[in-house]
Amino acid sequence: MARLLVLGGGVAGHTAATFAADWLGRDHEVVVVTPNAKWNWIPSNIWVGVGQMSKEEVTFDLDPVYKKAGITYKQAKAVSLNPEGSGSSDKPYVTVEYTGQGKAGNSEEVTYDYLINATGPKLNFGATPGLGEGSQLGEHTVSVCTADHAQHAADELTKVLDKMRKGERQKILIGTGHGMCTCQGAAFEYIFNVEHEIRKAGLRDMADIKWISNESFMGDFGMGGLHMKVGGYVVSSRIFTESLFAERGVNYITGAHVNKVEKGKVSYELLDGSMGEETFDFSMLIPPFAGVGLKAYNKAGEDITDTVFAPNGFMKVDANYTPKPYEEWKASDWPLTYQNPTYKNIFAAGIAFAPPHLISKPAKSPNGTVINPTPPRTGMPSGIIGKAVAHSVCDLIKNGEGAPLHEASMAHMGAACVASAGKGWLDGTAAAMTVYPVVQDFEKYPGTGRDTDYTFGEIGLAGHWIKHILHYLFIYKAKLKPFWKIIPE
Amino acid sequence: MAIKPEEFNFAKHDQFNNAMIPGKFARALRTCKIWQFIRFIVLNIKMLIVVSKSH
Ligand SMILES: Cc1cc2nc3c(=O)[nH]c(=O)nc-3n(C[C@H](O)[C@H](O)[C@H](O)COP(=O)(O)OP(=O)(O)OC[C@H]3O[C@@H](n4cnc5c(N)ncnc54)[C@H](O)[C@@H]3O)c2cc1C
């Protein structure tokens, strides 16, 4: 009997664990280690953050789902890996620290035959002094990255709306809280949902709403922008993004590295090297992401974290990490199988794998400050990678170590993304977008780097319907309800 | 002459002045239920094609 250990029960880890449990049956064991008792459909946190959904609507208890799937569930966080075992045993193991199940604070060594690291991002609020989600981590800005953060953001937004009702003009600042953030899409959704709610409340004239972002141009989204066919033209996402901001009266600052947040004020540096300040009454700034800080040790107990993980804490996989200039980047630099090059029984999926380089063009201010978005790994690629990696592990377990691995390169796959711009079955809108492939391939598609037949975007109520239906569909799938396997990632 | 609502924002900021802003008809289509129902079907088909090419 082999044991697959999955670290992280988010989009990638939950997908990997549930498919692996289904494919392996009861002959083998699947163990999930994840610190939260609840699963969270993160995209809908945006609606929690504007008071349009409750925390309960975007989360559910993991325990009964894992019981049903025959998965061993440990509510714990992984701390370190010993891929060669210890002095007394060759069996590799992960040291975990419980966060629940009545064992909070206890440590355990969980052995494995195969390991999938799907621990997602560490929300690195500490990278910018003062940046936070409004409670323990920093009191000045809010966040929508977790359901709890989003609930807190909604409470703060309500206070801002009350002030506007009393005739107090309010300044709202939303965007990215550091020069190396990713996830601009989430901030984009939040700013337009906030604007939509303020407009619905009849208070639009009382609010100055501003966007601040590390993207060098509007519509970069960490993917170097995208080009789509519209009205017979091939058009950059910049044109449509700037159009939406102009239509909704939202000013913007781009190419900004927020370097300090104080009460009601952010300080930032721009790509041209100039410094600026922006005041606010309410601000949601996305933190930069890093790996969750797992350590690795060899058999002798020596620290081999640098061998297993990249300096940003994400796990090294079968990517080409040789540093090279932007002009020499290739689609083939991106990983195919997500297998760790040193320890072949370890894989990484979702945000947890280390990308070979950015997707957007790298940029620095004259002062040497790096200001460019890091590559997004959104829900669909994270799910597809999780499933491919689970498939590989199941084949290795069932067919032996020579079994061919499954591939899921972000340079060969597309992504469908629906960005909400306001919630409402009759008056909501969302930008429905697809990109193909996620990572530009200028050898295959000289010009835009992508296939413009499969890269498109459109804003409207239909997009909102899709987004809202996907909310129910993905929670249904994650709960492993009938026919869950036929719902695509 | 009264300013058209869709042209109002152009004057607000240089950033807006250089952008394209949808007019009344384009905005109305965005929440027109019949048109959006058609778009819903079209978008789902387009997305499913990209999803199927990615798996
Ligand atoms: C507000 C917001 C809105 C978004 N909207 C969209 C959207 O509309 N569409 C889209 O495609 N994507 C969206 N995304 C991105 C999407 O959420 C991510 O791409 C996806 O969650 C990544 O999956 P993952 O499994 O890699 O990470 P996660 O889903 O974050 O899962 C990581 C898991 O690992 C656990 N973990 C952390 N540390 C440890 C540890 N030490 N040991 C064990 N487990 C650990 C975490 O608790 C978590 O359960 C959004 C993101 C945010 C923040």
Side-chain angles (χ1 to χ4, degrees), chain A residues 7-13 33-36 42-43 46 76-78 118-121 144-145 183 186 189 292 294 350-351 377-380 382 417-418 467:
Chain A
L7 306 180
V11 173
V33 168
T34 195
N36 301 323
I42 297 172
I46 300 297
K77 64 172 199 266
T119 43
V144 288
C145 291
C183 223
E189 289 189 280
V292 298
L294 298 177
I351 292 176
R377 276 143 290 163
T378 54
M380 184 174 147
S382 297
C417 198
V418 190
K467 178 105 187 161

Side-chain angles (χ1 to χ4, degrees), chain A residues 199-317:
Chain A
R199 201 155 23 94
K200 250 171 50 187
L203 297 165
R204 188 62 185 88
D205 289 345
M206 297 301 293
D208 297 313
I209 307 180
K210 199 170 236 180
W211 169 253
I212 185 162
S213 168
N214 59 341
E215 300 155 289
S216 65
F217 62 91
M218 297 292 282
D220 177 285
F221 294 123
M223 298 188 300
L226 51 126
H227 290 81
M228 43 204 162
K229 274 192 194 151
V230 183
Y233 289 78
V234 178
V235 189
S236 161
S237 49
R238 175 182 186 153
I239 307 291
F240 284 99
T241 311
E242 289 182 353
S243 168
L244 186 62
F245 277 72
E247 178 193 341
R248 307 273 284 257
V250 178
N251 297 121
Y252 47 87
I253 305 168
T254 51
H257 162 59
V258 171
N259 50 28
K260 192 157 85 182
V261 184
E262 295 163 280
K263 187 172 165 48
K265 189 172 90 178
V266 299
S267 308
Y268 60 84
E269 177 180 346
L270 292 181
L271 268 172
D272 65 8
S274 63
M275 307 289 171
E277 283 181 356
E278 197 64 43
T279 58
F280 62 82
D281 297 296
F282 173 86
S283 176
M284 195 295 292
L285 299 177
I286 296 274
F289 291 175
V292 298
L294 298 177
K295 293 279 191 196
Y297 301 99
N298 66 10
K299 204 168 171 57
E302 290 156 351
D303 193 323
I304 50 159
T305 308
D306 291 354
T307 311
V308 182
F309 295 96
N312 55 12
F314 295 121
M315 186 173 256
K316 289 183 191 167
V317 292

